[in-house]
Amino acid sequence: MHTELDLVGKMKYAIIAAGEGSRLVQEGVAAPKPLVKVGGEMLIDRLIRVFMDNNASEICVICNEQMTAVAEHLKQISEAGRVPLKYTVKSTPSSMHSMWELSKWLGDEPFILTTVDTIFRENEFKVYANTFQLFAAEGVADGLMGVTDYIDDEKPLYVDVADGMDITGFLDTCDNPKYISGGIYGLTPKSIDTLRRCIERGDSRMRNFQRALVSDGLKLKAYSFSKVLDIDHASDIQKAEDFLTM
């Protein structure tokens, strides 16, 4: 029987903060997406705080070359020395390529990766992180993917699951959807080999990487969050604030 004390080992976290946030800019949001505030806290700072609260051994971040304010913010955090932060500044063609840039730091222990604008409830995330750490330690799964039955996405990625929440596929369309991807990826280093093959054959997009994980025979399980939101539009900021204060 495992107690909470069994699950307090360190784990790596990674944040993809390399998108341009062009829709937010078009809708009048001046700050680059990672520095947008929800509930008075910048998105990048919120994730770093949550990850530190969940036993981060290291937090790895990528931002693009156009986001000079974000790079400066990360530099300040790094130099303050209170966060075990590694970051890289590089523009990439997709989130999957951003993950590839981060993978040089992710090959030696399980990690949880998400994009900078992913909004979830902190208490749910804590249980998720502990569950993934246990699954990885005991070899129960090669990955624990955050999913939700709350569908509010322009192009959702549907997640097909079997008994025991085993993931059998990632679908662009689904007649009777139950879950969609929440963009929260708990993975073991085994996934980096799949990522490398995706890059070598010219794949792009995180959803194609996820499909490749299934094709390569990695054992993936789904973990259900009540709701996961993304900040794609200006209206999503208020929606996220309302969600977090419910």
Side-chain angles (χ1 to χ4, degrees):
M1 184 176 194
H2 291 270
T3 68
E4 189 172 348
L5 291 176
D6 293 320
L7 305 178
V8 295
K10 297 290 186 178
M11 181 167 54
K12 289 191 177 185
Y13 292 87
I15 303 170
I16 295 174
E20 296 181 359
S22 56
R23 283 174 291 190
L24 290 175
V25 173
Q26 292 169 4
E27 295 171 9
V29 178
K33 184 184 284 191
L35 305 187
V36 167
K37 289 185 177 181
V38 170
E41 188 175 27
M42 289 188 289
L43 292 173
I44 187 73
D45 289 348
R46 178 178 186 269
L47 282 183
I48 289 173
R49 175 182 56 77
V50 170
F51 294 163
M52 289 298 291
D53 288 345
N54 285 277
N55 306 304
S57 62
E58 199 167 77
I59 299 176
C60 308
V61 184
I62 180 171
C63 70
N64 69 42
E65 294 161 10
Q66 289 72 45
M67 291 182 175
T68 55
V70 178
E72 180 59 30
H73 186 65
L74 292 171
K75 180 182 178 183
Q76 291 173 3
I77 294 172
S78 178
E79 291 178 348
R82 293 187 293 272
V83 174
L85 178 69
K86 288 184 178 178
Y87 70 96
T88 186
V89 180
K90 185 171 183 178
S91 298
T92 62
S94 74
S95 292
M96 192 186 79
H97 287 82
S98 292
M99 182 182 176
W100 177 244
E101 292 298 324
L102 292 173
S103 68
K104 60 190 175 187
W105 295 319
L106 304 176
D108 56 352
E109 63 183 85
F111 61 91
I112 293 174
L113 176 143
T114 187
T115 54
V116 74
D117 61 332
T118 304
I119 303 293
F120 46 76
R121 288 199 172 98
E122 293 179 36
N123 59 338
E124 291 185 334
F125 184 84
K126 181 175 285 292
V127 179
Y128 162 78
N130 282 344
T131 302
F132 170 59
Q133 195 169 35
L134 176 61
F135 282 5
E138 296 194 344
V140 173
D142 300 308
L144 185 64
M145 315 301 264
V147 301
T148 180
D149 60 6
Y150 174 77
I151 303 175
D152 182 29
D153 197 304
E154 294 170 354
K155 294 181 180 179
L157 177 63
Y158 301 101
V159 184
D160 196 21
V161 300
D163 293 341
M165 296 294 278
D166 291 331
I167 294 176
T168 57
F170 295 94
L171 313 170
D172 287 327
T173 59
C174 184
D175 293 332
N176 187 27
K178 183 173 184 182
Y179 295 115
I180 65 169
S181 172
I184 303 169
Y185 316 100
L187 294 165
T188 62
K190 186 185 294 187
S191 65
I192 302 301
D193 289 335
T194 295
L195 180 62
R196 174 182 49 79
R197 287 191 286 271
C198 286
I199 294 294
E200 288 175 347
R201 63 175 172 251
D203 286 348
S204 63
R205 305 187 72 191
M206 285 296 288
R207 60 184 58 196
N208 292 328
F209 165 62
Q210 293 176 79
R211 292 183 179 118
L213 291 171
V214 175
S215 298
D216 285 356
L218 276 70
K219 184 174 179 58
L220 304 180
K221 284 185 172 290
Y223 183 92
S224 180
F225 284 76
S226 61
K227 187 184 288 189
V228 180
L229 303 178
D230 294 330
I231 307 296
D232 292 323
H233 297 281
S235 60
D236 293 334
I237 298 172
Q238 186 61 52
K239 190 183 300 184
E241 291 186 344
D242 292 343
F243 166 57
L244 292 177
T245 55
M246 286 175 59

